[in-house]
């Protein structure tokens, strides 16, 4: 198995620190590696986190579903606390996905492809 870059999270600086940590911890529980990167110059206040997974051939979709469930669970809890979810999923080969407007199914489909 090798470590494969999976997806980047762009988390708005408006997101409370405890919610950022909760999101990243939830994803780590799926056995994915989450690494916070330096801030990008053009969105200097946002937090960038790279999610990588150690997978064998054909396991990307399985990890995508696990990570989607962790993200969706976090989104529901944040919304119950009336916290605006300002997070986007990004990959070089796809249009970004805004977690504030996406459905659970859209998150799962986006991450499992």
């Amino acid at each position: 198995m090798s470590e494969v870059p999976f997806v980047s999270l762009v988390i708005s600086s408006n997101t409370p620190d405890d919610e950022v940590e909760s999101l990243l911890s939830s994803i780590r529980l799926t056995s994915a590696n989450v690494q916070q990167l330096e801030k990008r110059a053009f969105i200097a206040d946002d937090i960038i986190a790279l999610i990588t997974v150690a997978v064998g051939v054909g396991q990307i979709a399985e990890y995508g579903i696990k990570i989607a469930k962790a993200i969706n669970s976090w989104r529901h809890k944040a919304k119950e606390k009336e916290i605006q979810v300002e997070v986007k999923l990004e990959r070089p080969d796809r249009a970004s996905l805004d977690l504030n407007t996406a459905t659970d199914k859209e998150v799962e489909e986006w991450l499992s492809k």
Side-chain angles (χ1 to χ4, degrees):
M1 283 194 234
S2 60
E3 191 83 5
V4 177
F6 188 67
V7 67
S8 295
L9 295 171
V10 180
I11 306 167
S12 169
S13 60
N14 295 330
T15 306
D17 290 343
D18 60 332
E19 289 301 320
V20 171
E21 188 52 42
S22 175
L23 172 59
L24 300 182
S25 294
S26 296
I27 294 169
R28 285 183 184 110
L29 289 174
T30 69
S31 299
N33 181 29
V34 181
Q35 177 185 7
Q36 259 184 259
L37 305 176
E38 293 297 318
K39 296 175 181 174
R40 293 193 283 193
F42 60 94
I43 48 174
D45 292 339
D46 289 347
I47 299 162
I48 310 301
L50 177 64
I51 300 172
T52 58
V53 292
V55 297
V57 176
Q59 292 179 305
I60 292 288
E62 180 183 325
Y63 267 94
I65 292 169
K66 287 181 183 180
I67 292 169
K69 287 181 181 183
I71 289 172
N72 286 333
S73 176
W74 173 81
R75 289 185 328 138
H76 292 292
K77 290 175 185 172
K79 287 181 180 181
E80 286 174 7
K81 296 183 225 176
E82 299 182 0
I83 294 171
Q84 182 77 15
V85 175
E86 294 183 57
V87 179
K88 290 185 180 180
L89 300 175
E90 292 185 348
R91 272 196 207 147
D93 60 337
R94 307 203 51 196
S96 64
L97 183 68
D98 185 342
L99 295 183
N100 187 45
T101 58
T103 66
D104 288 356
K105 184 173 176 76
E106 288 172 327
V107 172
E108 189 172 310
E109 287 175 355
W110 196 95
L111 285 168
S112 63
K113 291 183 180 176

